[in-house]
């Protein structure tokens, strides 16, 4: 009985410091990420759409599990065909923690809590490793604090599964015990923590491989570990066990990559983010006190403007102290720091934006496993581990130096002096580190326009096309709105989009066009046909989001869509894809068509500008509609006339890319004409008239709009040639001067001025 009590006391003595440390890091997390904890249901940590993408993924996995669907395929995105999620970034460990929490607190609140738990978990894991290595709890606590609030980790507020690195220090801890003690419990724990690393994010296995591999070699090279057949078997079992635990979720991903016809499509061409060496010494740009001041310093360091790899000046001093006092224990971790910095720097050494020299990464960047990481700067996330271990050794060294001082030894016992010195030193230095690391933490508001609540009440399953598309931020916010309306989206975001996912998008000219220019309407005249292609696939609504469009872009879309929206508020303009012929509101019907039942005419006419200067260009937008099908191909003629004469006439097919013989009931066709005003037309008011012609009939012209021509002449800036001349031909044309430039050829620029109206054209010979 006495033995059992002693064992319980011993276990409690081991557990309670770790519990207090975790609670301490949790309290600091609330402070550092404030006010995230106060906005659990209205915002989530993050500054752009990746955070929303993770929240959507959490929700989809829950839905798939509850309904028995394949979690690796969804038709909620890229409707109607759906899309594979085998190349999507799925944070399995986060989802496992989120599922029970969301049932109690709600989806957004659970996401925030799971996110906030990352920081104390990271800190606790490093604390346990550092305590094993240094034998000092205060020193280990400072090391854990470095990892918990590492600036690069704090800056990745949109990527929760990249910054959960707790499993890697724990893998190092259990691997060390396995090598030294050879216990099966440590084999099982090593396999578990290694598997959790991969299930958190597959990329982390590759990012962690150098650290884990180097540590294993370092331990095997030490005199305390001998590589026996038994030990090799334990290591193999740990690795095999990790693979076995990951297999259910890893094998489908690997099989897809091995069997796909386009394996290279996994690697999207993009600018790889690498670290500028100067950025390691630049103070945190998100700091509440000096962030604005140092932001200008980041202008030259390129991609590091967002993800801050700042080491911290206090931490650098601790590292130097560790190297001075604990060289034998510290040298391996220094070597690891150098390796991870070289990996994070990428293929070329950059300092303050200047490219200085190639680096070893240039020989590795084309390897499959390096390409999976995508951005070399992501190695900075695990740079925190060796840096924190050296910081812990630095604290230990400082404490040992302090307790040798006579004034401490004279006042209290040596044991107590060591404890007091360690706690006070750790507390003081922790404040210094936090003072450098603390940030203004961003939150992403979870606002959904009210109209989507109306959509949620509609019956049936149908698609929604949100515009504009093509931006990662746009698409992910639309995925947030899907939480409310529950209907599939024509677009969406998948981490690595399969090539066949865009088959439907490429089949609809409207969708294909906005892939290239998402914020402006396409150069397509057959508007109703584009909407019909959407409606035929059960895409019910086209939604314009005002926050992603300028006022000019919004006006262009409204002009292109012709009909008024069915819903308007401060957030949205909503259009139906199904157009009823009775909704066309033809304002100027064309009479005289042979078919007695055919009804065709202009819905609206826009002339811009309505008042023009001589020589200017005028845009004429004609929106045609038909209440019935049309059987003939019509040509349209435009006439511009003043009171006495017709000054110009132009005849063209009414819609070259969508002939009227193909028109159906409810057709809407947009046609844009451009016309240059002759500089010699007299000022005054002009009438724009239109007539239609077919092989069978000619419909007389009818007036549709007016144009005012201003009498003022357009003003031009006087030329300022380098060489002036005074040569005039026939009192009509004057050569004002010329410029010359000598390169591979002689460039000659001539400046002419008309002295009077010129009735004919001239050529120039030089």
């Amino acid at each position: 009985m006495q033995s059992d009590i002693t064992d319980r006391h011993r276990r409690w003595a081991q557990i309670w410091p770790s519990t207090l440390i975790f609670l301490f890091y949790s309290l600091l997390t609330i402070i550092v990420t404030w006010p995230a904890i106060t906005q659990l249901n209205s915002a989530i940590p993050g500054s752009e759409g990746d955070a929303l993408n993770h929240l959507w993924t959490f929700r989809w996995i829950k839905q798939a599990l509850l309904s028995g669907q394949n979690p690796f395929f969804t038709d909620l995105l890229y409707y109607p065909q759906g899309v594979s999620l085998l190349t999507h970034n799925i944070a399995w460990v986060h989802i496992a923690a989120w599922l029970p929490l969301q049932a109690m607190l709600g989806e957004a609140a659970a996401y925030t809590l799971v996110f906030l738990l990352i920081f104390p978990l990271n800190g606790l894991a490093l604390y346990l490793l550092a305590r094993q290595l240094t034998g000092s709890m205060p020193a280990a606590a400072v090391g854990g604090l470095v990892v918990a609030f590492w600036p690069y980790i704090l800056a990745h507020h949109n990527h929760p599964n990249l910054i959960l690195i707790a499993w890697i220090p724990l893998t190092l801890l259990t691997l060390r015990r396995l090598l030294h003690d050879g216990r099966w419990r440590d084999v099982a724990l090593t396999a578990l923590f290694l598997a959790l690393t991969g299930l958190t994010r597959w990329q982390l296995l590759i990012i962690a491989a150098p650290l884990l591999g180097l540590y294993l070699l370092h331990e095997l090279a030490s005199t305390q570990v001998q590589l026996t057949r038994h030990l090799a078997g334990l290591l193999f079992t740990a690795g095999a066990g990790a693979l076995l635990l990951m297999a259910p979720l890893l094998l489908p991903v690997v099989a897809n990559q091995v069997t796909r016809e386009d394996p290279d499509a996994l690697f999207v061409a993009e600018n790889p983010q690498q670290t500028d060496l100067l950025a390691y010494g630049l103070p945190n740009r998100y700091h509440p006190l000096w962030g604005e001041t140092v932001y200008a310093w980041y202008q030259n360091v390129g991609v590091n403007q967002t993800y801050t790899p700042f080491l911290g000046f206090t931490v650098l001093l601790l590292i130097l102290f560790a190297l001075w006092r604990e060289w034998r224990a510290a040298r391996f971790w220094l070597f690891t720091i150098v390796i991870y910095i070289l990996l994070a720097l990428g293929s070329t050494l950059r300092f303050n934006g200047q490219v200085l020299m190639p680096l070893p990464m240039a020989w590795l960047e084309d390897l499959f496993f390096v390409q999976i990481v995508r951005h070399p700067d992501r190695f900075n996330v695990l740079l925190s581990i060796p840096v924190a271990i050296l910081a812990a050794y630095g604290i230990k060294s400082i404490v040992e130096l302090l307790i040798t001082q006579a004034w401490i030894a004279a006042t209290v016992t040596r044991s107590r002096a060591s404890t007091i010195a360690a706690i006070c030193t750790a507390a003081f230095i922790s404040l210094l580190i936090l003072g450098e690391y603390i940030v203004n933490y961003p939150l992403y508001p979870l606002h959904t326009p009210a109209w989507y609540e109306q959509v949620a009440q509609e019956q049936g399953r149908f698609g929604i096309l949100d515009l504009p598309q093509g931006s990662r931020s746009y698409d992910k916010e639309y995925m947030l709105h899907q939480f409310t309306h529950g209907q599939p989206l024509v677009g969406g975001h998948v981490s690595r989009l399969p090539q066949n996912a865009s088959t439907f998008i490429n089949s609809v000219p409207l969708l294909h066009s906005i892939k290239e220019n998402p914020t402006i309407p396409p150069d397509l005249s057959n508007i109703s046909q584009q909407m019909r292609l959407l409606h035929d696939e059960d895409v019910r609504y086209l939604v314009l989001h005002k926050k992603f469009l300028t006022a000019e872009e919004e006006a262009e879309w409204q002009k292109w869509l012709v009909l008024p929206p069915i819903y308007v508020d401060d957030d949205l303009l909503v259009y139906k894809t199904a157009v009823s012929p009775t909704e066309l509101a033809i304002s100027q019907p064309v009479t005289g068509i042979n078919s007695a039942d055919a009804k065709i005419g202009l819905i609206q006419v826009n002339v811009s500008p309505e008042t023009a200067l001589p020589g200017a260009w005028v845009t004429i937008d004609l929106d045609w509609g038909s209440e019935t099908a049309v059987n003939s191909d019509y040509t349209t003629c435009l006439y511009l006339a003043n009171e006495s004469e017709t000054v110009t006439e132009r005849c063209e097919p009414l819609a070259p890319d969508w002939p009227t013989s193909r028109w159906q009931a409810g057709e809407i066709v947009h046609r844009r004409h451009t016309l240059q005003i002759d500089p010699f037309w007299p000022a005054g008011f002009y009438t724009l008239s239109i007539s239609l012609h077919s092989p069978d009939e000619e419909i007389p012209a009818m007036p549709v709009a007016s144009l005012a021509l201003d009498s003022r002449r357009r003003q031009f800036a006087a030329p300022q040639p380098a060489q002036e001349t005074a040569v005039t031909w026939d009192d009509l044309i004057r050569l004002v001067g010329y410029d010359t430039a000598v390169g591979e050829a002689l460039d000659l620029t001539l400046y002419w001025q008309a002295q009077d109206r010129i009735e004919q054209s001239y050529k120039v010979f030089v």
Side-chain angles (χ1 to χ4, degrees):
M1 179 66 70
Q2 183 63 36
S3 175
D4 291 342
I5 295 174
T6 303
D7 289 341
R8 285 200 297 269
H9 287 169
R10 186 182 300 112
R11 286 195 296 269
W12 175 244
Q14 295 174 344
I15 293 173
W16 77 263
S18 301
T19 303
L20 289 179
I21 285 293
F22 179 79
L23 294 175
F24 174 63
Y25 292 155
S26 299
L27 177 61
L28 291 179
T29 297
I30 293 174
I31 296 172
V32 170
T33 61
W34 190 267
I37 197 67
T38 68
Q39 300 184 28
L40 292 179
N41 293 308
S42 59
I44 60 174
S47 62
E48 49 99 342
D50 276 352
L52 300 178
N53 189 54
H54 280 287
L55 182 56
W56 181 92
T57 305
F58 289 13
R59 196 173 193 268
W60 160 247
I61 297 298
K62 179 186 76 169
Q63 180 176 330
L65 294 176
L66 292 176
S67 60
Q69 299 179 71
N70 177 6
F72 290 111
F73 184 87
T74 181
D75 69 346
L76 288 177
L77 306 179
Y78 289 89
Y79 184 79
Q81 66 191 60
V83 63
S84 170
L85 299 179
L86 285 167
T87 54
H88 189 53
N89 181 10
I90 302 178
W92 294 107
V93 171
H94 297 69
I95 292 170
W98 176 82
L99 284 171
L101 283 176
Q102 61 84 30
M104 298 181 290
L105 305 173
E107 294 172 341
Y111 177 91
T112 298
L113 288 180
V114 169
F115 186 92
L116 296 182
L117 280 172
I118 292 172
F119 305 108
L121 282 175
N122 286 348
L124 177 63
L126 198 284
Y127 162 82
L128 294 173
L129 175 62
R131 189 178 69 179
Q132 182 76 21
L133 294 173
T134 65
S136 169
M137 287 190 292
V142 175
L145 183 139
V146 170
V147 168
F149 306 109
W150 182 243
Y152 187 81
I153 288 178
L154 287 175
H156 269 278
H157 31 67
N158 300 304
H159 306 127
N161 61 339
L162 177 65
I163 61 176
L164 177 55
I165 62 170
W167 320 121
I168 299 165
L170 293 175
T171 302
L172 291 172
L173 175 62
T174 56
L175 178 62
R176 184 176 189 276
R177 292 175 178 172
L178 186 159
L179 293 171
H180 287 267
D181 302 332
R183 294 181 300 183
W184 283 103
R185 184 185 70 176
D186 294 318
V187 172
L189 289 174
T190 301
L192 174 63
F193 293 138
L194 195 57
L196 286 172
T197 300
L199 293 172
T200 298
R201 185 171 181 138
W202 303 123
Q203 287 179 343
L204 281 179
L205 287 174
I206 299 170
I207 297 173
L211 175 58
L212 297 175
L214 288 172
Y215 187 75
L216 178 60
L217 293 175
H218 171 262
E219 289 296 305
L220 292 176
S222 70
T223 58
Q224 300 176 2
V225 177
Q226 290 186 342
L227 182 58
T228 63
R229 181 176 297 181
H230 175 69
L231 181 58
L234 295 179
L235 291 172
F236 175 81
T237 302
L243 285 174
L244 188 63
L245 291 171
M246 292 186 290
L249 297 174
L250 180 60
L251 284 180
V253 176
V254 174
N256 174 70
Q257 179 62 21
V258 171
T259 58
R260 65 192 295 180
E261 296 179 356
D262 55 341
D264 291 338
L266 183 66
F267 311 114
V268 178
E270 56 188 343
N271 183 30
Q273 298 180 359
Q274 60 188 84
T275 306
D276 190 298
L277 186 61
L278 178 63
Y280 288 114
L282 287 181
N284 196 330
R285 57 166 285 201
Y286 302 106
H287 198 281
L289 296 181
W290 56 67
E292 293 293 331
T293 302
V294 302
Y295 179 71
W297 301 352
Y298 279 87
Q299 299 308 303
N300 293 329
V301 300
V303 297
N304 303 114
Q305 294 182 21
T306 301
Y307 304 124
T308 308
F310 178 50
L311 298 177
F313 302 123
T314 303
V315 169
L316 283 173
L317 291 175
L318 291 176
I319 290 174
L320 293 176
F321 219 93
L323 296 176
W324 172 40
R325 301 279 297 186
E326 299 278 351
W327 171 248
R328 288 180 61 85
R331 56 189 177 183
F332 166 75
W333 301 103
L334 175 64
F335 176 71
T336 308
I337 287 174
V338 173
I339 294 297
Y340 269 81
I341 287 179
L342 285 174
L343 291 172
L345 290 176
S347 58
T348 54
L349 177 62
R350 295 172 180 266
F351 187 86
N352 197 28
Q354 301 298 314
V355 178
L356 301 181
M357 59 183 287
L359 291 173
M361 191 67 166
W363 304 321
L364 305 175
E365 60 183 358
D366 292 331
L367 295 178
F368 176 81
F369 291 106
V370 175
Q371 288 183 309
I372 288 179
V373 176
R374 292 176 56 197
H375 302 301
D377 84 304
R378 288 180 174 172
F379 284 96
N380 286 316
V381 74
L382 291 194
L383 177 63
S384 59
I385 293 176
V387 167
I389 295 296
L390 284 186
Y393 275 118
I395 293 290
K396 178 186 176 185
S397 302
I398 292 174
V399 170
E400 290 177 349
L401 190 63
L402 287 176
I403 64 175
T404 60
Q405 301 301 311
W407 67 271
I408 294 180
T411 56
V412 288
T413 66
R414 186 175 183 84
S415 174
R416 202 166 167 204
S418 175
T419 302
I420 294 174
I423 293 175
C424 292
T425 302
F428 176 70
I429 293 181
S430 294
L431 287 175
L432 294 179
I433 294 172
L434 280 175
E436 296 182 46
Y437 283 4
I438 196 167
V439 297
N440 283 318
Y441 213 76
L443 297 176
Y444 201 105
L446 301 177
H447 169 68
T448 296
W451 177 74
Y452 288 112
E453 296 179 3
Q454 299 180 26
V455 177
Q457 306 303 316
E458 296 188 27
Q459 299 298 314
R461 186 172 178 82
F462 52 86
I464 294 177
L465 172 61
D466 294 284
L467 295 178
Q469 289 201 350
S471 165
R472 296 164 65 94
S473 297
Y474 304 164
D475 297 338
K476 294 167 188 175
E477 185 149 328
Y478 306 152
M479 291 160 70
L480 168 67
H481 304 332
Q482 190 182 69
F483 291 6
T484 299
H485 62 71
Q487 298 294 350
L489 307 177
V490 173
H493 175 80
V494 175
S495 302
R496 282 293 176 264
L497 186 66
Q499 287 187 342
N500 61 359
S502 298
T503 301
F504 173 69
I505 289 176
N506 292 333
S507 71
V508 179
L510 166 63
L511 301 179
H512 182 72
S513 175
I514 59 180
K515 283 172 59 178
E516 303 298 327
N517 298 293
T519 60
I520 59 176
D523 185 20
L524 296 169
S525 62
N526 55 338
I527 299 163
S528 55
Q529 174 63 9
Q530 302 306 310
M531 303 294 267
R532 196 177 295 121
L533 291 173
L534 296 174
H535 182 69
D536 289 346
E537 296 294 339
D538 294 323
V539 179
R540 185 174 295 180
Y541 296 111
L542 182 152
V543 184
L544 293 177
H545 291 256
K546 294 182 178 181
K547 69 179 292 185
F548 299 131
L549 297 169
T550 65
E552 292 76 14
E553 292 166 346
E554 181 184 324
E556 283 297 309
W557 271 107
Q558 288 186 269
K559 185 183 295 184
W560 186 84
L561 288 163
V562 180
L563 296 184
I566 63 167
Y567 177 88
V568 180
D569 64 14
D570 293 339
D571 298 309
L572 306 175
L573 294 165
V574 182
Y575 295 82
K576 291 191 307 181
T577 59
V579 178
S580 169
T582 59
E583 296 175 349
L584 295 185
I586 294 176
S587 61
Q588 301 187 53
V590 177
T591 58
I593 297 178
N594 285 334
S595 173
D597 296 329
K599 295 183 180 179
I600 183 174
L602 287 166
I603 300 173
Q604 59 185 12
V605 179
N606 288 300
V607 178
S608 178
E610 294 180 352
T611 300
L613 295 173
W617 287 89
V618 174
T619 300
I620 302 170
D621 288 302
L622 304 177
D623 295 320
W624 294 90
S626 66
E627 296 182 5
T628 61
V630 181
N631 298 321
S632 299
D633 285 330
Y634 284 91
T635 296
T636 179
C637 291
L638 277 67
Y639 309 93
L640 196 62
N642 57 16
E643 294 180 354
S644 58
E645 62 176 334
T646 298
V647 297
T648 187
E649 174 183 341
R650 176 184 297 176
C651 294
E652 299 174 349
L654 192 153
D657 55 352
W658 195 246
T660 52
S661 60
R662 301 176 64 181
W663 286 19
Q664 303 178 30
E667 202 74 58
I668 301 174
V669 173
H670 176 82
R671 188 76 168 94
R672 171 166 288 184
H673 303 267
T674 55
L675 174 68
Q676 187 174 24
I677 303 299
D678 191 299
F680 303 113
W681 288 350
F685 290 95
Y686 288 76
T687 299
L688 174 67
S689 300
I690 294 176
S691 68
L692 292 182
H693 305 265
S694 75
D696 301 325
E697 65 177 323
E698 178 175 340
I699 303 173
M702 61 177 182
V704 295
S706 61
L707 171 69
L709 182 58
D710 201 312
S711 61
R712 294 173 297 171
R713 296 294 176 180
R714 292 205 296 170
Q715 300 297 315
F716 299 95
Q720 296 181 338
Q723 301 293 329
E724 296 184 357
T725 62
V727 182
T728 303
W729 278 266
D730 293 334
D731 296 327
L732 286 178
I733 305 175
R734 174 173 175 255
L735 179 63
V736 179
Y738 61 90
D739 295 336
T740 58
V742 180
E744 295 182 359
L746 173 65
D747 292 330
L748 177 65
T749 303
L750 304 176
Y751 297 89
W752 301 95
Q753 183 180 41
Q755 302 297 99
D756 201 346
R757 176 170 178 170
I758 302 172
E759 301 293 343
Q760 58 185 331
S761 298
Y762 287 84
K763 293 182 179 179
V764 175
F765 298 89
V766 178

